[in-house]
Amino acid sequence: MIAHIAIILVALVSSSESFQKLLLTRLVLRPSSASVACAPLSMSTTKVERNQNFAKLQAGYLFPEIARRRRAYLEQNPSAKIISLGKYSCIDVMRCDTTITTVHAMPSPLLFVGIGDTTMPIPPHILSGLAHGVSKLGTKEGYSGYGAEQGVTELREKIAAKLYNNLVQPDEVFVSDGAKCDISRLQLMFGSNVVSGVQDPSYPVYVDTSVMMGQTGSIDPALKQFSNIVYLPCNPGNNFFPDVRQSPRADVYYICSPNNPTGAVATRKQLEELVQFCKEVGSFIVFDAAYAPFIRTPDVPKSIYEIEGAKDVAIEVNSFSKYAGFTGVRLGWTIVPSGLKFSDGTPVRNDWNRVMTTAFNGASNIVQSGGLACLDDEGLQEIETLIDYYLQNAKLLKETFEGLGFDVYGGVDAPYVFVHMKGRNSWDCFSEILETIQVVTIPGAGFGPGGTEFLRMSAFAPRESCLEACERFKQMYKK
Ligand code: PL4
């Protein structure tokens, strides 16, 4: 007993916190019951095994990594006036980087050309829809609690009619909290035994969720590719649209048009050939149409369902994020055609409904009221005006880099401009631009090895930030 007291005193005066914890755990906190066979573990570990699929993911998710590097630069250069096209606020940076525990004062104004985050305020009619959703909740008649997990019927009908011209039925529309979340839930439905096919480069969520689901092996450090994913090369040589016949078959092809990050837009012919191929080989397409309203060129499909036969092979994810400035509001949808089937004949829609009713509890009723307003004639006109604004920014960026002699892609029917930094690694270019002219861009390497020599510029920015960024680029790269 005296020895025990002596050891406890040693622990309490010890300068090492871990030594204190260990001794106190073993001597003081030890349960008295003899049924506990082993001694408690150190307080910093448990017996829960880590999901090894997460260990396969190499670095952090791309966008928080950009925010982390930007913050590190600001810490060393506190008076820098940074431009980052597509903004990340101070709070976002704190949330994204789990190592930060305090909010850092950032220089103002923080200007942003990197992250694809909307910057324009929500226009009046759409805002009135959100406000209507709020006020209804304050009345006895208007109050609602949990809603249908698939979304309110009126919104499903309006999406089918106004955005798909009734090419899809309302019961094929599943309203959600956004495209990214739906991509993850689709992976949950597909499980670990499928092979994903991704455009290289592509939005990193397709690859990362495939890895998390256990569909892949580990990454090849030289190729920077995971085994058991089919990487479909997309480059200037094929107009950034893959030739799926040149690669091994995948079960699920993730195709994004207008494309993030390349800004390329798939033509009708390209999509017809893709649908035809998937029908031949029995594969699915997950078509990410999150940037569809940026398409202004006639006859370029805004939805995969404009292609004959697509309902036999394709699921489409979409979102109000970029249409209406809803990136923080959160409202999206996924179309699962009723005739789409797994190999055993099970309708995919049944399993998707099971996922949505189990792993989701319905989009916010306030937000769905905003979604309804988006699809009124006034709302659709407001969306058109917002997109015009960002397309004008895209034009400015595109013309700036073309004027400087770079090969530039995208930026016409898309908010992204993809600049070829021939022979350079885009992470080096990212750092160089940040350090020289304090503009945040996105390195194409973050979207896959195919993006290594490219920088992605985002048109989501206030006009004055975009103009200032263009001026700084001209200063930096003038010959
Ligand atoms: C940063 C092809 C942006 N934190 O808002 P959602 O979930 O409906 O849609 C997300 C989304 C879906 N599909 C594509 C996209 O490009 C995005 C958004 N991407 C970008 O800069 O690439 C925002 C990134 C955000 C994120 O991780 O999505």
Side-chain angles (χ1 to χ4, degrees):
M1 177 66 180
I2 290 172
H4 267 192
I5 291 169
I7 293 172
I8 290 168
L9 284 174
V10 169
L12 290 174
V13 298
S14 165
S15 58
S16 155
E17 201 185 323
S18 53
F19 181 60
Q20 281 182 6
K21 276 184 189 160
L22 191 70
L23 283 178
L24 291 172
T25 308
R26 287 187 181 268
L27 294 170
V28 181
L29 305 176
R30 179 182 293 181
S32 55
S33 162
S35 64
V36 180
C38 9
L41 298 164
S42 140
M43 289 176 93
S44 59
T45 57
T46 65
K47 291 184 180 176
V48 182
E49 207 177 292
R50 183 181 186 201
N51 178 344
Q52 286 307 306
N53 295 321
F54 283 72
K56 292 177 198 163
L57 292 164
Q58 291 293 289
Y61 180 55
L62 172 65
F63 299 104
E65 175 60 19
I66 299 291
R68 189 191 66 73
R69 291 184 187 220
R70 197 194 64 140
R71 183 179 59 83
Y73 178 79
L74 274 174
E75 273 172 5
Q76 286 185 354
N77 304 276
S79 59
K81 185 183 170 194
I82 286 197
I83 298 186
S84 173
L85 300 187
K87 72 174 186 319
Y88 241 138
S89 71
C90 166
I91 297 294
D92 292 329
V93 176
M94 185 186 66
R95 279 204 202 105
C96 292
D97 187 339
T98 50
T99 63
I100 304 175
T101 49
T102 53
V103 180
H104 296 265
M106 299 260 188
S108 181
L110 281 178
L111 304 172
F112 281 76
V113 292
I115 312 284
D117 191 2
T118 48
T119 55
M120 290 290 281
I122 293 174
H125 180 77
I126 298 175
L127 195 67
S128 75
L130 289 166
H132 179 62
V134 173
S135 11
K136 267 172 69 181
L137 291 178
T139 65
K140 224 174 181 176
E141 309 71 42
Y143 178 78
S144 58
Y146 289 124
E149 287 90 346
Q150 303 83 353
V152 297
T153 306
E154 198 188 342
L155 182 56
R156 300 174 83 190
E157 286 171 351
K158 223 164 169 177
I159 289 173
K162 298 274 180 122
L163 297 178
Y164 291 90
N165 204 14
N166 295 317
L167 282 172
V168 303
Q169 298 306 308
D171 64 0
E172 297 174 317
V173 180
F174 290 80
V175 176
S176 75
D177 53 352
K180 178 175 168 180
C181 322
D182 277 350
I183 294 161
S184 307
R185 285 185 289 252
L186 281 169
Q187 294 281 22
L188 180 66
M189 177 179 77
F190 293 137
S192 55
N193 288 331
V194 296
V195 174
S196 292
V198 297
Q199 293 175 275
D200 178 25
S202 65
Y203 180 45
V205 169
Y206 315 135
V207 168
D208 287 7
T209 54
S210 301
V211 177
M212 286 175 176
M213 268 312 295
Q215 294 166 9
T216 75
S218 36
I219 198 163
D220 179 323
L223 290 175
K224 296 195 169 49
Q225 294 185 339
F226 288 93
S227 61
N228 219 38
I229 283 188
V230 175
Y231 290 82
L232 306 158
C234 291
N235 48 51
N238 58 14
N239 294 320
F240 294 100
F241 194 83
D243 183 351
V244 278
R245 291 183 192 274
Q246 298 297 316
S247 300
R249 176 187 170 274
D251 292 302
V252 183
Y253 288 97
Y254 293 85
I255 300 293
C256 177
S257 176
N259 190 270
N260 176 15
T262 66
V265 185
T267 63
R268 184 171 295 278
K269 186 162 177 290
Q270 285 168 332
L271 292 178
E272 279 169 357
E273 284 171 10
L274 178 72
V275 166
Q276 176 58 33
F277 172 77
C278 286
K279 287 180 83 150
E280 276 168 40
V281 299
S283 298
F284 289 162
I285 299 165
V286 170
F287 192 73
D288 188 337
Y291 301 99
F294 286 83
I295 297 176
R296 293 288 162 82
T297 304
D299 201 41
V300 172
K302 292 186 175 174
S303 163
I304 191 72
Y305 302 117
E306 291 179 39
I307 307 299
E308 209 185 317
K311 286 186 96 176
D312 297 335
V313 288
I315 291 168
E316 182 165 300
V317 293
N318 211 322
S319 158
F320 285 101
S321 282
K322 309 295 158 63
Y323 287 58
F326 272 27
T327 51
V329 174
R330 311 303 308 146
L331 187 65
W333 69 92
T334 286
I335 310 289
V336 185
S338 49
L340 183 66
K341 299 205 173 87
F342 288 110
S343 59
D344 69 355
T346 307
V348 176
R349 197 175 55 148
N350 291 5
D351 285 2
W352 182 243
N353 192 52
R354 190 75 172 81
V355 169
M356 292 303 274
T357 50
T358 307
F360 185 59
N361 234 345
S364 146
N365 39 21
I366 299 169
V367 171
Q368 291 191 77
S369 174
L372 284 167
C374 286
L375 301 178
D376 290 338
D377 289 345
E378 300 95 308
L380 289 168
Q381 186 49 55
E382 287 175 344
I383 290 172
E384 198 82 344
T385 307
L386 279 176
I387 304 288
D388 280 346
Y389 182 90
Y390 293 126
L391 279 173
Q392 188 58 32
N393 281 351
K395 189 166 181 274
L396 286 167
L397 287 163
K398 187 176 164 63
E399 287 173 357
T400 296
F401 280 96
E402 282 173 347
L404 290 165
F406 289 90
D407 287 342
V408 184
Y409 304 92
V412 176
D413 288 314
Y416 297 123
V417 174
F418 214 43
V419 182
H420 198 175
M421 312 301 285
K422 277 184 195 137
R424 304 283 321 276
N425 182 299
S426 49
W427 278 111
D428 295 342
C429 300
F430 163 86
S431 302
E432 211 170 87
I433 291 171
L434 180 60
E435 278 157 28
T436 314
I437 55 168
Q438 291 77 49
V439 175
V440 177
T441 57
I442 304 285
F447 299 91
T452 299
E453 289 191 5
F454 294 84
L455 282 176
R456 189 197 79 174
M457 311 287 161
S458 157
F460 295 110
R463 178 67 39 79
E464 57 278 16
S465 302
C466 186
L467 285 167
E468 183 163 350
C470 290
E471 277 316 306
R472 293 191 195 180
F473 284 125
K474 283 178 192 162
Q475 286 301 315
M476 179 167 172
Y477 288 110
K478 70 176 177 219
K479 300 246 162 67

